[in-house]
Amino acid sequence: MEVSSWNSVEEREGMEERSQRFTKVERSWILYDWANSVYATIMMAALFPIYFTSLAGEAGDVWWGVGSSAATFIMAFLSPVAGAVADYRGRKKIVFSLFFILGLVGTFCTAITENWRLILGFYVLSNIGFAGSNLCYDSFLTDVTTRERMDKVSAWGYAMGYIGGSTIPFLAAIALVMLGPSIGIDNAAAIRISVVITVLWWGGFSIPFFRHVRQRYYTEKKSGHVVRETFSNIWRTANMIFQDRRLRLFILAYFFYIDGVGTVIKMSTAYGATLGLDSTGMVLALLVTQIVAVPCAIWFSKLGERIGGLNVILLGVGIYCVICTLGFVMGYGTEEGFLTNRQALGIFWILAVLVGTAQGGIQAMSRSYFGRMIPPERSNECFGFFDIFGKFAAVIGPALYSVVKTVTGRSSMAIFGIILLFLLGGALLVGCKKANPDMR
């Protein structure tokens, strides 16, 4: 491998580490979050799903769910294989580039046809490309910075993502949809143009990443059967993760609390709609979430320098416990009639601010804390397993919500049930802290 220890990196970059400014490589890595977050906002969450369901008809939401699940499961199984291959010398940028191109081409192709079946197929391909490039992007964190600066660099990545992908192009797309009819552009055309904007934004702002980010850590490929060696490496990494008590406890904790984070994001507007809250007010509140998340993600990293990364993650878990509790109060008060819809919407706005406070920070600190625990030369393999746990975690929370709602008949109890995921995650994090008392 090119560099065998964190200490040698510190010797080479001692002056950069002492500086509070980002290096060119760090800035280029951060900018990729700015570049690709537009896909998550426009293609996965906001505008494109509405466009697709309008084309596919009554079963549109079902087919959208099928396509999204298919992409998730395919990527979950590809992650460790792609990670193992990418960890070989000179392969990480190649694997990243293949996923990146697949994401861009798949996204662009959704805008050049109105056949919903083809659109769904192209969306699945683009989603796999997006997820795969993110897997490699996360693993490059160990290549672009030092161990001590990981929290800061990771947090700034998420912060810039909230601005770059979740705010600026999203607002432009909304303006295009709202004002398009006045200049002869219907909603369908406006969304297709927004898709093209997504491709241009994602591709254009990725250029510094390709120019300046390089693979620094790697494993040497041994002579022999490549496929056999790849799967041998996957098995070795899996054993390393689950035999190391610190890694095992952390990745299990991540599985639970990140599922809770995702469930709160996914179910928030559906929960509010069930309670009869104003949809426009909820959308505006979620926009506030994106704005609040920018400074708070950075603040989490600064706090991590003072109290330690794991303690900051525990703080984020605690904030989400408060969110679940307050969400229960909002729902229960609406169901029982002692809160008006206006009062409940006010609480929803408070919840939106709280989510913005913790969402980016807990994701950024989780990425950097995991990055500090793993061998840097096997970062892609390890982040492949990290990605698997994140992918499959997306199933439990919504299912838990549905089960509790079915049993109790109350949406308020369903949202409160999500607190179980955070309590389990928090308990495992405490165990991880005890197993690793010297690591901040």
Side-chain angles (χ1 to χ4, degrees):
M1 78 192 85
E2 183 180 340
V3 180
S4 59
S5 71
W6 285 110
N7 288 334
S8 58
V9 178
E10 293 166 3
E11 290 169 4
R12 287 172 55 186
E13 298 189 350
M15 293 184 64
E16 291 179 346
E17 183 177 303
R18 288 191 291 271
S19 171
Q20 293 302 307
R21 294 178 297 178
F22 291 115
T23 66
K24 181 187 294 184
V25 174
E26 289 171 340
R27 289 196 303 270
S28 299
W29 183 88
I30 289 169
L31 195 60
Y32 186 71
D33 222 322
W34 170 284
N36 77 347
S37 293
V38 63
Y39 179 91
T41 304
I42 291 179
M43 297 297 295
M44 296 174 65
L47 298 179
F48 195 76
I50 299 172
Y51 170 65
F52 174 81
T53 53
S54 70
L55 291 176
E58 290 184 4
D61 57 342
V62 175
W63 281 107
W64 182 258
V66 169
S68 299
S69 297
T72 298
F73 274 91
I74 290 170
M75 195 58 223
F77 287 107
L78 277 179
S79 292
V81 178
V85 173
D87 275 333
Y88 290 135
R89 182 175 185 173
R91 299 290 178 84
K92 188 181 289 191
K93 184 67 76 68
I94 294 173
V95 174
F96 171 85
S97 300
L98 291 173
F99 279 120
F100 173 78
I101 293 169
L102 179 64
L104 286 187
V105 173
T107 303
F108 179 77
C109 287
T110 63
I112 61 175
T113 178
E114 293 184 2
N115 184 313
W116 69 265
R117 292 177 178 84
L118 285 176
I119 289 174
L120 184 62
F122 288 135
Y123 170 74
V124 170
L125 293 176
S126 71
N127 201 315
I128 292 170
F130 171 76
S133 68
N134 269 341
L135 162 63
C136 296
Y137 167 70
D138 286 345
S139 71
F140 265 114
L141 180 61
T142 59
D143 295 288
V144 301
T145 191
T146 60
R147 190 175 185 271
E148 285 70 21
R149 290 172 62 86
M150 275 192 184
D151 288 346
K152 181 179 180 179
V153 174
S154 180
W156 271 90
Y158 270 101
M160 292 300 99
Y162 280 117
I163 298 174
S166 302
T167 306
I168 298 173
F170 181 40
L171 289 175
I174 291 175
L176 188 61
V177 170
M178 294 179 64
L179 303 177
S182 65
I183 56 175
I185 300 175
D186 61 23
N187 282 351
I191 291 177
R192 288 199 295 272
I193 293 172
S194 298
V195 171
V196 175
I197 291 173
T198 298
V199 173
L200 294 175
W201 185 282
W202 184 4
F205 284 110
S206 298
I207 293 173
F209 184 94
F210 280 97
R211 290 186 62 189
H212 303 301
V213 174
R214 299 287 183 269
Q215 181 178 5
R216 177 175 293 156
Y217 299 102
Y218 50 79
T219 56
E220 294 285 1
K221 185 172 72 67
K222 302 174 183 177
S223 58
H225 200 285
V226 174
V227 175
R228 187 187 305 118
E229 185 179 337
T230 298
F231 280 95
S232 175
N233 288 344
I234 292 171
W235 179 250
R236 187 181 73 247
T237 300
N239 277 337
M240 179 201 73
I241 290 174
F242 289 101
Q243 289 179 7
D244 187 322
R245 187 164 180 262
R246 305 166 310 144
L247 280 170
R248 183 175 69 247
L249 287 172
F250 181 77
I251 206 167
L252 287 174
Y254 176 78
F255 176 81
F256 287 110
Y257 72 72
I258 209 64
D259 188 13
V261 171
T263 303
V264 169
I265 296 169
K266 292 175 182 176
M267 300 305 299
S268 58
T269 52
Y271 177 56
T274 301
L275 300 176
L277 303 187
D278 176 63
S279 58
T280 302
M282 288 192 292
V283 170
L284 291 174
L286 294 179
L287 182 58
V288 169
T289 297
Q290 308 299 318
I291 296 171
V292 170
V294 175
C296 287
I298 298 169
W299 174 72
F300 260 58
S301 73
K302 291 183 179 298
L303 187 61
E305 294 174 1
R306 296 174 56 189
I307 67 173
L310 197 59
N311 287 329
V312 172
I313 297 172
L314 279 166
L315 173 62
V317 169
I319 292 173
Y320 270 101
C321 288
V322 173
I323 288 168
C324 291
T325 304
L326 191 56
F328 165 75
V329 171
M330 178 185 73
Y332 187 77
T334 304
E335 291 164 350
E336 294 297 315
F338 62 80
L339 285 178
T340 66
N341 275 12
R342 185 183 181 88
Q343 291 170 327
L345 185 60
I347 295 176
F348 189 92
W349 275 72
I350 295 172
L351 290 171
V353 172
L354 286 174
V355 169
T357 302
Q359 180 177 298
I362 199 171
Q363 292 172 315
M365 298 301 288
S366 298
R367 176 170 64 185
S368 57
Y369 191 82
F370 183 74
R372 291 201 303 274
M373 285 197 295
I374 60 176
E377 70 276 5
R378 290 160 67 184
S379 62
N380 237 83
E381 281 184 55
C382 292
F383 271 104
F385 284 95
F386 190 71
D387 189 63
I388 287 178
F389 275 76
K391 290 284 190 296
F392 283 113
V395 177
I396 297 178
L400 178 62
Y401 182 98
S402 299
V403 169
V404 175
K405 172 69 181 290
T406 301
V407 171
T408 65
R410 287 181 177 269
S411 297
S412 59
M413 292 300 297
I415 203 69
F416 188 65
I418 304 304
I419 201 173
L420 178 64
L421 298 173
F422 294 109
L423 293 176
L424 286 170
L428 288 165
L429 285 175
V430 171
C432 181
K433 185 176 180 180
K434 291 180 179 178
N436 196 23
D438 297 329
M439 182 172 170
R440 291 174 56 85

